[in-house]
Amino acid sequence: MATIALTNIGKLVTGDIKNPVSSANTIVIQDGKIAKVGNSNIIKDFNVEKTVDVAGMTVTPGLIDSHVHTVLGDFTPRQNTIGYIEGAVHGGVTTFISAGECHTPGRPKDPAGTKALAILAHKSYNNLRSTGLKVHGGAVILEKGLVEADFDEMAKEGVWLVGEIGLGSVKKPEEARPMVEWAKKRGMKVAMHCGGTSIPGSSTVTADDVMEAQPTVVSHINGGPTAIAPEEVEKLINQTELTLEIVQCGNARIGDLVARKLAEKDALHRIIFGNDSPSGTGIIPLGILRTMSLIASMSNIPGEKVVAMASGNTARTFGLETGLIEEGKDADLVVMDAPMGSIGSDAMEALEVGDLPGVAMVIVDGVIKVTKSRNTPPTTRNYTIQ
């Protein structure tokens, strides 16, 4: 694996919501990890095989989509679409987190079947890295009849996610709470549907339901696609410390409300971004960038903090070794810039004025996977490789 240096970085956005911008202008990547971050003189300590001069563009962590409904491979029967995972990489996304493989045709709903599906999806996506994107699949959907020993079995096989509660037959918080406790006891991260029904068989979930169940993440606080009432949203903001997920396939007005209220409380670390896709809304390869642009421009949140919501915040919530430009972390990086014609002078200003930045390069685990995005507008500047 080549040792790569990214040089002449105009703005280095760290993914850390507390310290979102670094003064460093150089990153050295070695063995798939970020080996060093600093100024140009750090290169002399490494046998650099490839140098990417990013010509003053912005470098961010790879973006993380916290809410996907993958099935198996790069095909979704929900929209009868193939290649959507690869499309996401061209939107700067380097990590997917499953909220449940609920669109699997003939999805089994008995305890043995739901366990088997979670284990299969988890192991399958561990082996599928053709596009570079890391898919954390196999989020078990809670069904009646699951017992504590089932969580032992799944955890032993590597399953560590619980799909959004409400998609399966376990709908009431009193039914979900013991299973949430079993899952958390084994280190699993738990998502919970919030808002109106999304697909046949799911259920409407209120703020009180969420507070009783105590998940790790409140899925689509702004609706998936129908949001709870503003006063219900404020209850979750003010009476809990739960992580709140804003999704592209939701209610933009409520997304704005959440961002503004948490900014007032200096609690933007509680926000993460997802697409909630594939869904009835469709497949949006630039969904995470679109959500970032919406919140930066309409909610008056600085672009670098919006990047953290789509990277470091999510990594911290799910315990991932990515999402931060920090020595020792996975070398998942995006080189982006203001798109041609934008009034913004760089990628962050572009987000703040409501434009989508252009993605020039995507690196996953130290390997260049995208050399020019096929989905975003072209960048104002261009990199060179030596």
Side-chain angles (χ1 to χ4, degrees), residues 56-282:
M57 289 190 281
T58 298
V59 177
T60 76
L63 306 179
I64 304 173
D65 187 337
S66 66
H67 194 128
V68 299
H69 290 296
T70 48
V71 175
L72 285 174
D74 204 355
F75 169 74
T76 170
R78 176 67 169 165
Q79 291 290 348
N80 197 29
T81 301
I82 195 164
Y84 73 101
I85 293 178
E86 183 181 5
V89 182
H90 283 257
V93 176
T94 58
T95 301
F96 270 4
I97 298 173
S98 173
E101 284 72 22
C102 55
H103 301 315
T104 302
R107 177 175 67 85
K109 299 180 182 180
D110 61 294
T114 199
K115 284 190 298 180
L117 177 59
I119 293 168
L120 171 63
H122 168 74
K123 295 193 173 189
S124 174
Y125 280 116
N126 270 356
N127 295 329
L128 182 68
R129 293 295 302 280
S130 58
T131 65
L133 193 144
K134 304 172 183 179
V135 181
H136 295 287
V140 62
I141 296 173
L142 298 186
E143 301 286 1
K144 292 180 180 179
L146 287 169
V147 298
E148 187 168 7
D150 293 323
F151 289 82
D152 280 327
E153 180 184 346
M154 289 185 285
K156 181 181 176 182
E157 297 300 330
V159 173
W160 62 281
L161 294 169
V162 174
E164 53 179 312
I165 299 166
L167 294 180
S169 58
V170 173
K171 302 180 186 300
K172 298 178 181 178
E174 59 268 24
E175 298 170 336
R177 186 60 187 263
M179 293 187 184
V180 171
E181 292 175 354
W182 297 339
K184 287 184 173 181
K185 185 177 176 181
R186 288 151 182 85
M188 296 183 181
K189 305 297 183 181
V190 181
M192 186 168 184
H193 183 95
C194 180
T197 58
S198 55
I199 61 173
S202 63
S203 58
T204 300
V205 179
T206 67
D208 286 340
D209 291 337
V210 171
M211 289 191 288
E212 185 172 345
Q214 285 296 302
T216 309
V217 173
V218 182
S219 294
H220 44 60
I221 182 70
N222 63 321
T226 308
I228 53 177
E231 55 268 25
E232 289 274 286
V233 172
E234 295 199 41
K235 186 183 293 187
L236 289 170
I237 289 173
N238 297 323
Q239 297 182 27
T240 80
E241 292 298 322
L242 295 171
T243 296
L244 307 178
E245 178 188 75
I246 296 173
V247 298
Q248 173 65 30
C249 298
N251 182 316
R253 182 174 179 224
I254 295 298
D256 173 61
L257 172 69
V258 171
R260 290 179 181 275
K261 291 293 182 181
L262 286 175
E264 290 172 4
K265 295 171 68 70
D266 193 25
L268 291 176
H269 63 279
R270 292 175 57 191
I271 297 178
I272 63 176
F273 291 154
N275 241 330
D276 193 4
S277 174
S279 67
T281 304

Side-chain angles (χ1 to χ4, degrees), residues 13-34:
V13 180
T14 66
D16 181 352
I17 196 80
K18 295 181 179 178
N19 299 288
V21 178
S22 169
S23 61
N25 61 20
T26 304
I27 301 170
V28 176
I29 300 166
Q30 190 172 57
D31 298 326
K33 301 288 184 181
I34 298 172

